[in-house]
Amino acid sequence: MPASPRTARVINDRLALDHLLREGPLTAARLKELTGLSRPTVADLVERLTEAGLIRVVGESGADRRGPNARLYGLVAERAHLAALDVRTSGLALVVTDLLGTPLAEARLPIDGGLGTVPAVERAVGLLDTALAEARVEALHSVCVGAPGLVDPATGELRDSTGLPGWHRRLVRALQGHRSARVLVENETNLAAVAERRHGAAQDHDTFVLLWLGHGVGAAVVLDGVLRRGAGGGAGEIGFLPVPLTSSLPSATDCGGGFHSLAGASAVHDLARHHGLPVAGAREDADGRDEPVSATAVRAALEAGAAGELFLDALADRVALGVAAVAAVLDPGCVVLAGETGEAGGEALATRVGKRLATLSPLRTDVRATRLGGRAVLAGALLAAQEEAREAVFSPEAT
């Protein structure tokens, strides 16, 4: 059945707004080309969206062109403000942006493991308030928190997980309603996958798996362009995967004996020591993050040249076991190695894993290194907050 005039206007408006969000300022003529709408229809929607305060004239397309079609229309970026948080066991990083994702303020905060839950939450919220003051933002539309651990798909709450700081869950509660914000919570690995698909190593793949190698191990599954979380939010808990070369089996409460025992930070550190690499303890990386000893070990091996080759080969053998299991079940065609250890290994580790995988699996799987590195979680959180705000701001009620 044909759409009603109002439904048609809503569809056309949303189509135009999405193009403006993805491609930046556009002329009416360019909007006509992209949407396939008639010139009068585009003129009407431009007038309607301008009156609604969603778009405005931001310039002209060229000095040689004059008239309505030469005007460049862009989204009103300050229509909504967003915050993205990357919460780790040792601290957090955050960014405050406008609707277009333009950074207005950024901040990082280390949090000592001995600090109590309440003081930790107070410092984290205080950091956000300071960033908002710097950005001159009074209210937030959407906040996305990326954190390790399971997120309940029914409630959207971060589950209480053994080994993770208690202030993570308390922080989420403290942020709910803070500055009138809508708060989203997502697993950090899932957010990294969202970012790698939009801006990073998986831009050319609608189906892929991101393997997180850091303090712990995890995976994010994207199938046909959709992030798959599983029935209980646990899709990708690859640390519990039973694999060969371990001395025991994992249990419902302990991933020891699973893939974590081969590729987690402490296991990789022990492997480096076994190969005689002089590996120091944990340190901060260039972005101020607490780098796990596994990443330090991989960097040391790469700097050691030939002396580090055997260690890198052994590590690739281990990682390939997890990737082979993923390939056998999902056949994703592409696996991105991310997390601090994956970032440290870069192309050198990804190439080794790809070669070993080819001997373990008949399924053709491209193994790639992360392109976004430590920025992936924050970038993914910003994309999620942007999507939440867009759905509300671009709703029929807004237009």
Side-chain angles (χ1 to χ4, degrees):
M1 295 178 63
S4 68
R6 172 171 169 73
T7 301
R9 286 195 300 270
V10 169
I11 293 172
N12 293 341
D13 289 353
R14 180 59 185 266
L15 185 60
L17 290 167
D18 284 344
H19 281 301
L20 287 166
L21 182 64
R22 286 196 303 268
E23 303 188 32
L26 299 169
T27 63
R30 181 59 177 153
L31 278 171
K32 176 181 178 297
E33 293 175 8
L34 292 171
T35 62
L37 301 172
S38 68
R39 186 182 298 275
T41 300
V42 170
D44 287 344
L45 74 82
V46 165
E47 181 179 358
R48 187 165 54 251
L49 295 176
T50 301
E51 290 178 353
L54 291 173
I55 69 172
R56 64 187 170 203
V57 177
V58 295
E60 293 186 346
S61 60
D64 59 332
R65 298 181 64 186
R66 290 294 182 265
N69 285 348
R71 295 174 182 171
L72 281 169
Y73 295 93
L75 294 175
V76 178
E78 62 271 21
R79 184 63 182 260
H81 290 97
L82 320 170
L85 282 74
D86 177 6
V87 177
R88 304 293 179 98
T89 55
S90 57
L92 75 155
L94 64 84
V95 61
V96 175
T97 78
D98 58 24
L99 180 59
L100 298 180
T102 304
L104 303 177
E106 298 183 56
R108 293 185 179 275
L109 176 70
I111 294 182
D112 186 88
L115 189 65
T117 297
V118 173
V121 172
E122 290 176 346
R123 291 189 186 182
V125 174
L127 183 73
L128 177 59
D129 284 336
T130 300
L132 291 172
E134 178 185 337
R136 298 182 179 179
V137 170
E138 292 294 330
L140 285 170
H141 185 285
S142 302
V143 177
C144 182
V145 179
L150 290 173
V151 177
D152 190 319
T155 65
E157 294 183 352
L158 188 65
R159 292 182 178 177
D160 190 9
S161 302
T162 304
L164 294 177
W167 63 266
H168 285 190
R169 298 181 75 223
R170 288 282 192 92
L171 175 61
V172 171
R173 296 195 197 105
L175 291 174
Q176 289 170 340
H178 185 68
R179 303 287 185 110
S180 303
R182 305 180 185 188
V183 179
L184 311 173
V185 185
E186 184 59 89
N187 174 266
E188 61 180 354
T189 304
N190 287 343
L191 290 177
V194 169
E196 291 287 356
R197 181 168 183 259
R198 179 71 67 86
H199 303 302
Q203 292 181 69
D204 57 340
H205 281 269
D206 288 335
T207 294
F208 74 99
V209 168
L210 181 138
L211 181 60
W212 184 275
L213 303 169
H215 288 285
V217 295
V221 180
V222 177
L223 303 178
D224 298 325
V226 179
L227 179 66
R228 305 293 182 177
R229 298 175 177 84
E237 284 296 313
I238 197 171
F240 288 88
L241 178 74
V243 290
L245 304 182
T246 59
S247 58
S248 61
L249 290 174
S251 70
T253 59
D254 185 5
C255 57
F259 183 58
H260 175 85
S261 295
L262 293 183
S266 60
V268 175
H269 183 247
D270 290 343
L271 181 66
R273 294 176 60 186
H274 175 74
H275 282 83
L277 291 175
V279 181
R283 65 177 180 84
E284 286 190 351
D285 64 9
D287 293 324
R289 294 172 297 156
D290 183 17
E291 184 175 81
V293 289
S294 53
T296 307
V298 172
R299 295 186 194 282
L302 291 171
E303 293 170 0
E309 295 289 325
L310 290 178
F311 161 75
L312 291 172
D313 289 343
L315 176 58
D317 286 341
R318 294 184 174 196
V319 175
L321 289 175
V323 177
V326 166
V329 175
L330 298 174
D331 187 18
C334 176
V335 172
V336 178
L337 303 185
E340 297 91 345
T341 308
E343 179 187 359
E347 292 296 336
L349 180 60
T351 299
R352 283 177 167 82
V353 173
K355 288 180 178 178
R356 279 141 184 83
L357 179 62
T359 67
L360 296 174
S361 172
L363 303 174
R364 194 169 183 176
T365 307
D366 187 10
V367 181
R368 302 178 178 181
T370 173
R371 287 186 191 170
L372 300 180
R375 298 177 290 116
V377 176
L378 206 56
L382 179 56
L383 288 170
Q386 215 173 9
E387 178 66 20
E388 172 73 12
R390 182 178 68 173
E391 289 301 317
V393 173
F394 292 176
S395 67
E397 290 75 16
T399 57

